[in-house]
Amino acid sequence: MASTARCPYCGATTMARSRFCPSCGRALPQPAPELAVPAPGQVEVEAESLDLQALVNVVESGVRHWQQQLASGDTVTRAQAASAIEELSKILLSLSQQLAQGRTTMRITTRMPVLRAYDMACPACGGGNRRGAKFCQRCGAPMSSAPSEEPTMVPILPLTFAIAAQSDIGQIRRNNQDAIFTGTIALPDGSQAQLCLVADGMGGAAAGERASQIAAEALQHELATSLGRRRPPDDAGWESLLRAAAILANRRIYNESRQNAAQRGMGTTLTVVLIVGERIHIASVGDSRAYLINARGVTVDNAKVAQLTSDHSLVARLVDIGQITAEEARTHPQRNLLYRSLGTDPTVDVDTRSEPIEAGDVVLICSDGLFSYVRDEELARIAIEQADPGAACAQLIALANQRGGSDNISVVIIRAER
């Protein structure tokens, strides 16, 4: 059965993908496109502050984009552009007032959660444990032994991973511009790395779909080629490898967009997780996210879910400086305005990090079509309670669609087990 909605003006029933109300004829609100503005200057969080002028530059770039859309012959597009300009103008006024008062930076009010802190090494297996632990969380051996006792070495089984990935067009979009991938990459020593990624494309016609496809294919090829020659020795090496692969993907998308007028300005987000042994290595650009989830808690304050990536979006920075709340950001009209993505500029900065992973962990990667509708605590609950990663993916996508599904929805779930 086709999805339906209601006209906000007359209350008549409309089809979910209708652009005009069949009863009153007024243009219906359309989902805002994900928009990556050309980099007018890097927006970086330095220490505990954020440069206000860099944020102003992002807003001004967004205004210029929507001003161009006012010349469109499409009534809905013009109405959407006018609304976007009005909202951006409010943000610009607020930021400009701060600059007028002599402030060039603003203190960051939000912080990424601190993940596991393992201060004590197990005398049996060497695994890290929180201070005060009586038994090793890895092998179960006592954390303190009498001086005369020889620690018993407990064999440690290697981690195994149950992985599932699903992507859905959602309730409103006319095509799916997301790309997902899960697979293995052979390493020179005969072992394998697990590669998982989500890319959320943007651009007119099929341009966004093409951008995310290029990103996924370029990452797979570059990592397979590089790892076939040499295995990085440490976290810094793995992160450098991921960064180089993402930069290569950026160049390929950008070059193709310059060769085809219909693809001009296309881009994509990218969040990639590479699992090697008992560590995960992450690279991200844009606002697709990676989370670490564990029923026993994955942060020093025992929270069950931790976001591993930082959104490169305007609203994320507005939350950072306390102008809006995290809850307001979920429905903010400019939540799709990105200042960093793959393919929209000839160069790009790539965020990277590495973290340990242990049995019971769930790593979840998703596009904004999921987390715009499903809160972090709900993501965690479903990922923890649903033992089958495929069923968890389906349940999360169904929930996002039930609540509106205004965007493509993609999710990858990785369960670590022994």
Side-chain angles (χ1 to χ4, degrees), residues 31-248:
E34 195 141 38
L35 170 63
V37 298
Q42 296 300 325
V43 179
E44 298 290 349
V45 176
E46 297 291 346
E48 295 185 354
S49 64
L50 186 70
D51 183 82
L52 278 179
Q53 186 57 57
L55 202 54
V56 167
N57 293 342
V58 170
V59 178
E60 290 177 337
S61 294
V63 171
R64 287 193 293 271
H65 167 83
W66 287 115
Q67 285 174 334
Q68 295 171 359
Q69 302 307 305
L70 288 174
S72 170
D74 185 272
T75 303
V76 175
T77 300
R78 292 200 304 273
Q80 190 176 53
S83 177
I85 292 171
E86 180 182 10
E87 184 62 35
L88 287 170
S89 297
K90 295 176 184 176
I91 297 172
L92 189 59
L93 174 61
S94 176
L95 296 176
S96 298
Q97 288 173 338
Q98 300 293 326
L99 288 171
Q101 294 172 13
R103 296 180 181 175
T104 58
T105 61
M106 287 197 71
R107 183 177 176 84
I108 296 296
T109 61
T110 62
R111 301 246 64 81
M112 297 287 279
V114 179
L115 298 183
R116 300 183 183 99
Y118 294 144
D119 301 334
M120 299 176 60
C122 172
C125 71
N129 290 268
R130 291 192 176 114
R131 188 164 298 279
K134 296 180 179 180
F135 297 91
C136 176
Q137 55 86 25
R138 185 180 186 192
C139 71
M143 285 297 293
S144 60
S145 301
S148 59
E149 295 179 352
E150 288 292 328
T152 302
M153 299 302 293
V154 180
I156 304 299
L157 297 176
L159 286 178
T160 60
F161 301 95
I163 302 175
Q166 292 184 27
S167 186
D168 188 84
I169 194 172
Q171 299 296 303
I172 305 296
R173 301 296 188 190
R174 289 172 168 76
N175 64 324
N176 192 344
Q177 299 191 99
D178 288 359
I180 57 176
F181 174 80
T182 64
T184 58
I185 297 179
L187 301 179
D189 60 4
S191 61
Q192 292 184 325
Q194 299 275 354
L195 174 64
C196 303
L197 66 84
V198 169
D200 180 357
M202 62 203 78
E209 189 173 347
R210 176 59 182 156
S212 62
Q213 178 188 18
I214 295 173
E217 292 175 352
L219 258 291
Q220 296 169 55
H221 180 268
E222 180 64 15
L223 292 177
T225 301
S226 298
L227 289 173
R229 297 190 298 261
R230 176 178 175 271
R231 174 178 176 140
D234 52 24
D235 287 350
W238 286 105
E239 292 175 26
S240 178
L241 177 68
L242 288 174
R243 187 180 300 110
I247 289 173
L248 174 66

Side-chain angles (χ1 to χ4, degrees), residues 284-407:
S284 65
V285 178
D287 66 347
S288 292
R289 292 179 179 176
Y291 294 92
L292 182 60
I293 302 166
N294 188 293
R296 300 190 304 274
V298 292
T299 66
V300 293
D301 60 357
N302 292 320
K304 291 181 172 59
V305 58
Q307 186 178 330
L308 297 174
T309 54
S310 178
D311 299 347
H312 301 136
S313 65
L314 171 63
V315 296
R317 302 291 77 84
L318 294 178
V319 172
D320 279 344
I321 62 177
Q323 185 163 16
I324 62 175
T325 67
E327 185 60 29
E328 289 170 338
R330 290 167 50 81
T331 57
H332 195 280
Q334 299 305 320
R335 63 187 179 278
N336 293 322
L337 181 58
L338 304 182
Y339 60 81
R340 195 191 301 179
S341 63
L342 289 187
T344 49
D345 291 285
T347 61
V348 67
D349 287 338
V350 182
D351 287 355
T352 59
R353 71 183 295 172
S354 299
E355 296 291 342
I357 189 170
E358 63 182 37
D361 282 349
V362 177
V363 178
L364 186 151
I365 318 168
C366 64
S367 61
D368 65 333
L370 181 65
F371 65 75
S372 292
Y373 288 103
V374 185
R375 291 176 171 81
D376 290 0
E377 59 271 20
E378 294 175 309
L379 294 172
R381 178 181 57 78
I382 293 172
I384 291 169
E385 294 178 355
Q386 182 55 261
D388 177 8
C393 288
Q395 187 175 345
L396 288 166
I397 288 174
L399 183 57
N401 273 323
Q402 177 185 334
R403 293 176 177 176
S406 65
D407 201 354

